[in-house]
Amino acid sequence: MIVRELQSLQRTLDDLLRDKTWIAHYQALAKAIGMGQSSIAQPAKFYTQATSKGAKLWPFMLETFQKIGQLQLLRRQLAYELRTVSRFDSKHLVAALETLNEAVLTDIKSKPLDAPRDDGKEQSFLMYELAEYLQWTGLTEPLSQIYVGTRKDSYLGLAMFLSFLGICNTFIPAPNLGNTLVPRRRYDPVDGTPFLVGFVTVMKQFHADDTRQVVQLIGQYLRSVVETAKATNGDFGPDAATLVVSLQWMLLYGAISKDVVASYVPGYVIRALQTV
C-alpha cells in the first residue's frame, strides 16, 4: 500500500515537473530565491504568491502524506512488537542477526565508492535472506527504507518545499501536547504526526541533495520572516513556529542531521521562534 501511494505521488510530481506552466513558475521562483542564501523582502507576500498556484493540489498532497505516514506508523509499531517478542523468545537469534547486519554494513562502508560492484549470486542471496530475517524479527526502521526508485530533477526540492509550506498553514504546534502538530481549525480532519512521517518517508525516496535543498529553503524562509519582523517590529506569523517544530520532529525521526540544519538555519532564528 505504501508503494502504491508513493507511486501515485511520484506520477503527480512527474506531471508537475513536465508541465510548462509549472516549469515557468519554478524557474521564476528559483531566480527570485537564488541559492537560498539571501533573505526575501516582504516574505509574507512573496511566499503567499509562491504557494497560491498549488492551492488546489495541496489537499491531495496532504491526504497522500497522511496515508503514507499512517502506514509507516503501523509498520513501526509492528516492528517494535516483533522486536520485543524476538528479544524475549529468541535473544540469541536476535544477537546473531544484529552482529551479522553490523558486519555486512561495515564491509559495505569500508569499500570505496568507485569500487566495482560484486553482483554475485551468493552475495545477493545473503542480502535477501538477511533482510527477510531482519524484518521477521523487527530489526528494521521503516522510515529509513527506500520503497520506490526515483529520478533526480533540478526543481524537485523546490516543489517539495512549496508543498510543505502550502500545507503547514493547516497545522499549529500544541505545547501542552509536546509540540505535536494539531489542526489549526479544530474540526479539520488532519493529523500532524502522520503528515510529518509521510513527508519524511517521501523525501527518503529522493536524493539527499533534494532533502538538503528543502532544509535550505526552509532556513531561508525563517531568516526572512525573523529579519523582516525585527526590522518592522511586526510578528513572525504562525507558519514560522510550525516550520521550526517540524524541523525538530524531522531531527527526532532521523530524517535530517543536526549539521544540515545548523548549516542553513542559524541559531538566532531558532531562538527567536522558539516558543517552548
Side-chain angles (χ1 to χ4, degrees):
M1 294 179 68
I2 293 178
V3 173
R4 184 170 67 246
E5 295 295 336
L6 287 169
Q7 289 174 339
S8 174
L9 181 62
Q10 185 178 0
R11 286 193 295 270
T12 301
L13 289 173
D14 287 342
D15 291 340
L16 289 181
L17 296 171
R18 286 196 298 262
D19 185 89
K20 292 183 179 179
T21 59
W22 275 98
I23 291 176
H25 181 61
Y26 291 142
Q27 288 175 339
L29 287 177
K31 184 178 180 180
I33 290 173
M35 297 300 293
Q37 299 295 334
S38 59
S39 299
I40 301 295
Q42 297 181 322
K45 179 181 179 181
F46 176 84
Y47 287 105
T48 299
Q49 292 176 348
T51 57
S52 61
K53 182 175 176 59
K56 295 182 179 179
L57 179 63
W58 306 149
F60 163 76
M61 301 283 281
L62 173 58
E63 182 180 0
T64 303
F65 287 141
Q66 287 191 129
K67 285 181 180 178
I68 295 171
Q70 288 165 351
L71 292 171
Q72 286 286 72
L73 290 172
L74 286 173
R75 285 176 64 89
R76 291 192 86 190
Q77 182 62 32
L78 289 171
Y80 171 78
E81 296 293 338
L82 288 170
R83 186 164 59 251
T84 302
V85 173
S86 298
R87 290 187 188 281
F88 182 78
D89 291 339
S90 306
K91 60 181 181 180
H92 296 301
L93 173 62
V94 172
L97 287 173
E98 289 177 332
T99 303
L100 178 58
N101 187 43
E102 291 179 5
V104 171
L105 291 176
T106 301
D107 180 64
I108 293 174
K109 292 178 181 179
S110 65
K111 295 180 179 179
L113 296 177
D114 57 351
R117 292 185 178 181
D118 183 6
D119 296 325
K121 293 183 179 180
E122 292 184 2
Q123 184 174 359
S124 299
F125 179 78
L126 170 64
M127 299 292 288
Y128 176 79
E129 193 81 1
L130 178 59
E132 281 203 340
Y133 271 104
L134 292 174
Q135 287 185 346
W136 292 340
T137 52
L139 299 175
T140 57
E141 174 48 77
L143 298 187
S144 299
Q145 188 168 345
I146 297 176
Y147 296 95
V148 296
T150 57
R151 64 182 180 86
K152 187 169 173 54
D153 191 283
S154 56
Y155 295 121
L156 183 57
L158 178 58
M160 292 302 296
F161 164 72
L162 291 178
S163 66
F164 189 74
L165 184 61
I167 293 170
C168 268
N169 60 16
T170 310
F171 301 100
I172 192 169
N176 59 331
L177 296 176
N179 260 356
T180 300
L181 296 185
V182 298
R184 182 161 296 174
R185 291 177 294 190
R186 180 177 299 180
Y187 299 106
D188 279 356
V190 295
D191 192 342
T193 300
F195 159 65
L196 285 175
V197 172
F199 184 80
V200 165
T201 301
V202 171
M203 291 307 303
K204 187 66 179 178
Q205 312 309 304
F206 302 133
H207 196 278
D209 290 344
D210 296 318
T211 301
R212 282 193 289 271
Q213 186 180 13
V214 170
V215 177
Q216 182 179 18
L217 293 174
I218 290 176
Q220 183 183 39
Y221 172 89
L222 295 176
R223 289 197 314 273
S224 303
V225 169
V226 169
E227 292 174 6
T228 301
K230 288 183 176 181
T232 60
N233 292 324
D235 59 8
F236 301 128
D239 291 347
T242 302
L243 286 175
V244 170
V245 171
S246 298
L247 283 177
Q248 292 172 341
W249 281 109
M250 290 182 193
L251 283 169
L252 183 64
Y253 295 141
I256 53 179
S257 67
K258 292 183 179 180
D259 292 338
V260 172
V261 174
S263 299
Y264 300 120
V265 187
Y268 74 89
V269 172
I270 299 294
R271 290 190 295 272
L273 294 168
Q274 192 70 53
T275 57
V276 294

